[in-house]
Amino acid sequence: MNNYKSNLKSKLLGILKFAVLIISCIAASFVFVWPLWKFSTGVPKIYTIIVLILLCSAVIYFAVKKIIKTPIKKTIQFFVNLALLASGFYLSIKSVFDERQLLSILILVIMIILITVFNILMNRIKNEK
């Protein structure tokens, strides 16, 4: 009988915890989400600017934090790879819009070769020291 009461008590406590969780989620949606929704529908341009500023600030913060922790050679390697990728994709897309599809494919192949050669050279430089 005592085991049955403790089992019932634990189940009722679990149901109560679940109900409190549901109620707190609903309350949080009214406290946080509803004002943000009202603000975003009321003045969407200002809301978009604020969200973009916050998002860019977070990206910059985490990027700088990561860059500070990484060695300089890895940072240089990352940014050179990023520049090669961005310029390769830009030139490839521009070639497609200029109706030069074969040149676009050639640019992508050259981009892959350049990135591979650069990374091999950087790894050799790392291994020499």
Side-chain angles (χ1 to χ4, degrees), residues 34-63:
W34 187 75
L36 287 173
W37 170 78
K38 198 71 171 156
F39 178 50
S40 68
T41 57
V43 276
K45 289 181 181 180
I46 295 174
Y47 178 80
T48 302
I49 290 170
I50 290 173
V51 168
L52 286 176
I53 288 172
L54 290 174
L55 183 65
C56 289
S57 299
V59 167
I60 291 170
Y61 170 76
F62 288 117

Side-chain angles (χ1 to χ4, degrees), residues 13-117:
L13 190 61
I15 292 171
L16 182 64
K17 285 180 182 179
F18 182 72
V20 167
L21 177 67
I22 295 295
I23 291 170
S24 64
C25 286
I26 292 171
S29 70
F30 280 109
V31 171
F32 296 112
V33 176
W34 187 75
L36 287 173
W37 170 78
K38 198 71 171 156
F39 178 50
S40 68
T41 57
V43 276
K45 289 181 181 180
I46 295 174
Y47 178 80
T48 302
I49 290 170
I50 290 173
V51 168
L52 286 176
I53 288 172
L54 290 174
L55 183 65
C56 289
S57 299
V59 167
I60 291 170
Y61 170 76
F62 288 117
V64 167
K65 189 176 173 183
K66 181 73 174 175
I67 288 171
I68 289 173
K69 290 181 180 178
T70 5
I72 189 73
K73 287 183 183 177
K74 278 195 142 221
T75 305
I76 291 171
Q77 184 176 4
F78 170 76
F79 281 113
V80 170
N81 283 333
L82 184 65
L84 286 171
L85 276 172
S87 60
F89 282 130
Y90 170 75
L91 291 173
S92 178
I93 291 170
K94 188 174 182 322
S95 299
V96 169
F97 286 139
D98 291 341
E99 297 180 5
R100 296 183 178 139
Q101 286 81 9
L102 290 177
L103 180 62
S104 174
I105 294 171
L106 181 65
I107 289 172
L108 289 175
V109 169
I110 291 172
M111 176 187 67
I112 291 170
I113 292 170
L114 284 175
I115 290 173
T116 305
V117 168

